[in-house]
Amino acid sequence: MTDPLDTPTDRRPGGRTARVRAQVLDAVRAELAEGGHEGLTMEGVATRAGVHRATVYRRWRDVGGLLVDVIDAAGEIDWQPPDTGSLRGDLTALNQEIQESLVVQPSFAVALMAASFHSEQAARAQTRLWADRYAQCEILVERAIERGELPTRHTDARSLLIAATAPLYHQLVLLRAAPDPQLPARAAETAVLAAAAGAFSAHREEST
Amino acid sequence: MTDPLDTPTDRRPGGRTARVRAQVLDAVRAELAEGGHEGLTMEGVATRAGVHRATVYRRWRDVGGLLVDVIDAAGEIDWQPPDTGSLRGDLTALNQEIQESLVVQPSFAVALMAASFHSEQAARAQTRLWADRYAQCEILVERAIERGELPTRHTDARSLLIAATAPLYHQLVLLRAAPDPQLPARAAETAVLAAAAGAFSAHREEST
């Protein structure tokens, strides 16, 4: 028996292949948000998606495959880093987005982090996604350099971005603190003040 | 039948009660480190500890109970924050300790974080432990204020400590970056520079 999904017409963008993927990944997100990755099963996803189990097994093989694809799909979204006109404003807006994604109940972002502790495949996909997002955000630092907001053109953009955003993840995910509406701006300002004092100067690195 | 563990002589410090607890918690740490919390079972712990299963069930009830007690035991250790003579030195030493605990294979600290995503009891115990440790570390900031290292006596010690340590957890636990031997000092310096620029000034908070 030939697989109807493998016929050429079904592989066109927006065709049945894409539609089935969208349905299945929506179901994965919903199941993850409701029950965490521990509640994620091939059967539950197939049922919720209204897709035949055999199709889910054939295309995603196992729960790890579903996790990887849902993380990869998040990377395919046309996300743009904020552009507010100042580094402080950009980092604050970025942190607000992060805080929102971690605080919303249920949080898909937190469910993925939990899953990545248990699935090596999911962890690798998540690491890739995060690397992409931080790389995309380097433009915030480049624009700040162009505007003359930083003391040197040799600023380690990634370290600055990590310093700005890490307190959000630490407070909300690991320390499980109550969300603090001031934290996004506070953490952004801390990074900007440190950057102004030369904390992320790439030259410093060479001299140590 | 009376429980031999409940006789008064067994409840003295260092008595059989304490000895059984030590054996069981050692076993929990070893099982966690080897197999993560997913591999943690009452039976596995009892066998490894050489303690009767019934004793483990009676005193810890379930895996959540074991996790809580192993986290509480970590809080009972007479841990002292570093005292190197400077805020930068203290934060660097603290970060080195954190980096070591996260990088060591297998990492008990990472296993506990993973477990806390899945056990509400364990998460609460871990949050308490972390709150205690950060509270203990506030002395680093107080000493820096006494030494005149900070621009104001009104420095929010906790925010400073979170800023100094968060990049370690973010990089090593969530982003799964390779350990960077410079990171402990780098993250400490960033926090010190931001603090010198007034980032954690408690007055700032009132004016915003």
Side-chain angles (χ1 to χ4, degrees):
Chain A
M1 198 178 96
T2 60
D3 178 0
L5 291 176
D6 280 334
T7 62
T9 53
D10 285 328
R11 289 205 167 273
R12 67 179 187 269
R16 190 167 167 241
T17 298
R19 210 164 56 240
V20 166
R21 182 178 181 230
Q23 279 167 265
V24 166
L25 296 188
D26 278 348
V28 172
R29 281 182 281 262
E31 294 274 305
L32 265 182
E34 272 177 25
H37 84 275
E38 279 171 340
L40 197 66
T41 63
M42 301 297 272
E43 286 73 16
V45 167
T47 304
R48 191 188 275 258
V51 169
H52 201 285
R53 279 198 328 181
T55 305
V56 179
Y57 276 103
R58 192 172 51 239
R59 293 186 52 189
W60 287 275
R61 202 156 50 165
D62 55 23
V63 165
L66 288 172
L67 285 169
V68 168
D69 204 29
V70 84
I71 295 168
D72 286 348
E76 291 159 19
I77 290 168
D78 184 29
W79 182 80
Q80 291 295 326
D83 187 3
T84 66
S86 75
L87 181 58
R88 181 176 306 204
D90 286 354
L91 294 174
T92 300
L94 179 64
N95 277 348
Q96 271 158 348
E97 241 182 88
I98 292 170
Q99 173 140 304
E100 223 163 277
S101 76
L102 299 176
V103 160
V104 65
Q105 290 288 350
S107 167
F108 172 62
V110 173
L112 279 191
M113 280 179 240
S116 75
F117 277 104
H118 301 285
S119 159
E120 185 55 34
Q121 271 180 291
R124 274 198 303 267
Q126 191 177 255
T127 301
R128 275 199 307 273
L129 173 60
W130 248 324
D132 285 353
R133 286 287 157 90
Y134 276 109
Q136 270 184 283
C137 286
E138 293 190 5
I139 185 87
L140 306 192
V141 179
E142 287 159 26
R143 288 193 305 236
I145 291 170
E146 290 309 315
R147 286 188 299 252
E149 289 184 62
L150 291 171
T152 162
R153 302 190 69 81
H154 304 282
T155 296
D156 177 353
R158 196 180 149 86
S159 295
L160 192 161
L161 293 164
I162 299 278
T165 57
L168 280 284
Y169 292 100
H170 195 50
Q171 288 274 26
L172 296 168
V173 181
L174 298 180
L175 304 184
R176 295 162 43 106
D180 170 0
Q182 306 291 333
L183 184 60
R186 209 65 77 61
E189 194 186 359
T190 296
V192 170
L193 289 172
F200 312 108
S201 151
H203 281 318
R204 201 174 55 88
E205 202 166 334
E206 289 153 30
S207 66
T208 54
Chain B
M1 196 179 95
T2 59
D3 177 0
L5 292 176
D6 281 334
T7 62
T9 52
D10 284 327
R11 289 206 166 273
R12 68 177 186 268
R16 188 164 170 244
T17 297
R19 210 165 54 240
V20 166
R21 182 178 181 230
Q23 280 167 265
V24 167
L25 296 189
D26 278 348
V28 173
R29 280 184 281 263
E31 294 273 306
L32 264 182
E34 272 178 25
H37 84 276
E38 279 171 339
L40 197 66
T41 62
M42 300 298 273
E43 286 72 16
V45 166
T47 304
R48 189 187 275 258
V51 168
H52 201 286
R53 279 196 331 180
T55 305
V56 178
Y57 275 104
R58 193 172 50 238
R59 291 185 54 190
W60 287 275
R61 200 154 52 164
D62 54 23
V63 164
L66 287 172
L67 285 168
V68 168
D69 204 27
V70 84
I71 295 168
D72 286 349
E76 291 159 18
I77 290 169
D78 185 29
W79 181 81
Q80 291 295 326
D83 187 3
T84 65
S86 75
L87 182 58
R88 183 176 305 201
D90 286 353
L91 294 174
T92 301
L94 180 64
N95 277 349
Q96 270 156 350
E97 239 182 90
I98 292 169
Q99 174 140 302
E100 223 162 278
S101 77
L102 299 177
V103 161
V104 65
Q105 290 288 349
S107 166
F108 171 63
V110 173
L112 280 190
M113 279 179 241
S116 76
F117 277 105
H118 300 285
S119 158
E120 185 55 35
Q121 271 181 293
R124 272 198 304 266
Q126 191 177 256
T127 301
R128 275 198 307 272
L129 172 59
W130 248 325
D132 285 353
R133 284 288 157 89
Y134 277 109
Q136 270 183 285
C137 287
E138 293 191 4
I139 185 87
L140 307 192
V141 179
E142 288 159 25
R143 288 193 306 234
I145 290 170
E146 290 309 316
R147 286 188 300 254
E149 288 184 62
L150 291 172
T152 162
R153 301 190 69 82
H154 305 282
T155 296
D156 177 353
R158 195 181 151 87
S159 295
L160 192 161
L161 293 164
I162 298 278
T165 57
L168 281 284
Y169 293 100
H170 195 48
Q171 288 274 28
L172 296 168
V173 181
L174 297 180
L175 304 185
R176 296 163 42 106
D180 170 359
Q182 306 290 334
L183 184 59
R186 210 66 77 63
E189 193 187 359
T190 298
V192 170
L193 288 172
F200 312 107
S201 149
H203 281 318
R204 201 174 53 89
E205 200 165 336
E206 290 154 26
S207 66
T208 54

